[in-house]
Amino acid sequence: MLPLRIVLPTYNRRAVLERTLPAYLAMPHPLLVIDDGSQDGTSAWLRGQGVAVVAHPRRLGLTAARNTGLELAGSTWVLFGEDDVLMPPDHGDRLLAEAERLGRSVPPPGAVAGRLFAGEDWTLPAPMPADQPAALLDAHWLLGNFAAPLRTARPLPSLHACALVRRAAALEIGGYDRTFRDSAFREESDFYARLWHAGHPCWLTPATWAVHVRHRLGGGCRGDRRVAAKLANRWSYWRNNARFLDRHRRLWQRWDTQAACGSPKGRWAGRIAVRALQAWRSP
């Protein structure tokens, strides 16, 4: 069995993949792209680059694309990527080494991720970007800041989407929950929390890092269809967030003392947002 396969889900993002694909091909591990029903020629272009592609006949959603990758990876570990994230060539090797080191603990890890920084350029910086002065986890907003200071690997109840995942553990919990639809906001947080509850802890390590590029590229709809798609996306965003809060709020609150988000105003804003979501979901 392969030790590691990279799985990269995408949808109508050929223009983005043209910028990031070289970084994935530079890693010494096989790459599998899951094209979730793109209509911009993504699959044909990728195959022309010699990339293995599995294409959904229609759009099924990000969670379904990740689950397809899990099922077909045929490897011990799956490194999930995103089409707008840049990773250094040794990213997978460093995560594997960390997973092996952390595997000496009991229980062994279910997922390991490096730090993730935001960037504005399509070129990976030579040195690691500077730390952001913030808490790793904010239990009021229930969000993570994975560019916050980190000196040693830490077990956390949540990671970002681009993590090394133990395939057997992921399949044991049923993969990603497909009820997180459309924008799929919170789908990765729910996945890691379920790994955690199943006895497969998640770790964030400073051994490696990646950059999530902020950009205006992408595919998708235009005109009125774009407006409708955005409205549907916002609805899914709040619905997914409410589902996540119902399931995992208590798990995150264990990290409350480590997750002060700075000002009292910010903390209270987070509490109000959570209560508003609770009220919104009430019949």
Side-chain angles (χ1 to χ4, degrees):
M1 181 180 289
L2 284 170
L4 184 154
R5 188 183 295 273
I6 305 166
V7 170
L8 179 59
T10 191
Y11 170 70
N12 275 355
R13 300 283 284 273
R14 173 177 167 176
V16 178
L17 281 170
E18 288 176 354
R19 311 289 185 101
T20 57
L21 184 64
Y24 287 99
L25 295 179
M27 289 190 276
H29 302 284
L31 171 66
L32 175 63
V33 176
I34 310 299
D35 181 358
D36 189 33
S38 296
Q39 300 171 346
D40 61 353
T42 293
S43 290
W45 176 77
L46 286 168
R47 291 187 179 110
Q49 308 297 312
V51 176
V53 181
V54 171
H56 289 166
R58 59 183 176 83
R59 190 180 186 189
L60 301 178
L62 179 57
T63 51
R66 288 200 175 123
N67 285 340
T68 297
L70 274 174
E71 292 167 5
L72 299 178
S75 54
T76 304
W77 293 90
V78 173
L79 174 57
F80 281 104
E82 291 194 304
D83 49 27
D84 52 4
V85 169
L86 295 167
M87 300 179 179
D90 62 351
H91 190 71
D93 290 329
R94 286 178 176 268
L95 288 178
L96 271 178
E98 278 292 274
E100 181 179 353
R101 183 181 69 83
L102 295 168
R104 301 176 192 133
S105 60
V106 178
V112 183
R115 301 177 69 194
L116 186 69
F117 296 86
E120 307 288 342
D121 198 342
W122 293 102
T123 302
L124 190 73
M128 183 173 67
D131 294 349
Q132 292 183 7
L136 278 173
L137 295 183
D138 178 355
H140 301 300
W141 287 104
L142 275 68
L143 294 172
N145 179 358
F146 302 109
L150 182 68
R151 298 294 174 259
T152 60
R154 286 186 56 184
L156 295 176
S158 185
L159 302 171
H160 53 80
C162 298
L164 183 70
V165 174
R166 187 185 296 276
R167 182 167 171 264
L171 293 175
E172 176 189 316
I173 66 168
Y176 289 81
D177 184 349
R178 289 187 60 180
T179 62
F180 287 83
R181 301 298 301 273
D182 298 322
S183 69
F185 175 64
R186 293 293 196 188
E187 95 288 346
E188 78 279 7
S189 301
D190 170 79
F191 173 74
Y192 298 126
R194 288 189 293 115
L195 274 179
W196 190 279
H197 285 303
H200 307 293
C202 307
W203 290 78
L204 185 71
T205 174
T208 185
W209 53 280
V211 171
H212 188 185
V213 182
R214 295 170 175 163
H215 61 90
R216 294 182 181 275
L217 297 176
C221 308
R222 296 290 185 270
D224 291 343
R225 290 182 63 191
R226 183 175 179 85
V227 173
K230 279 192 172 183
L231 289 173
N233 183 276
R234 292 298 91 189
W235 168 255
S236 297
Y237 182 102
W238 290 108
R239 183 178 58 187
N240 291 345
N241 195 56
R243 180 179 292 112
F244 174 79
L245 290 174
D246 272 354
R247 290 181 178 178
H248 305 301
R249 186 188 302 108
R250 290 183 181 178
L251 173 63
W252 276 64
Q253 286 172 345
R254 297 176 192 174
W255 275 262
D256 191 59
T257 57
Q258 305 173 32
C261 58
S263 68
K265 180 179 179 181
R267 290 197 294 271
W268 278 107
R271 293 188 182 118
I272 291 169
V274 170
R275 290 175 183 173
L277 282 168
Q278 290 173 333
W280 170 74
R281 290 195 75 249
S282 300

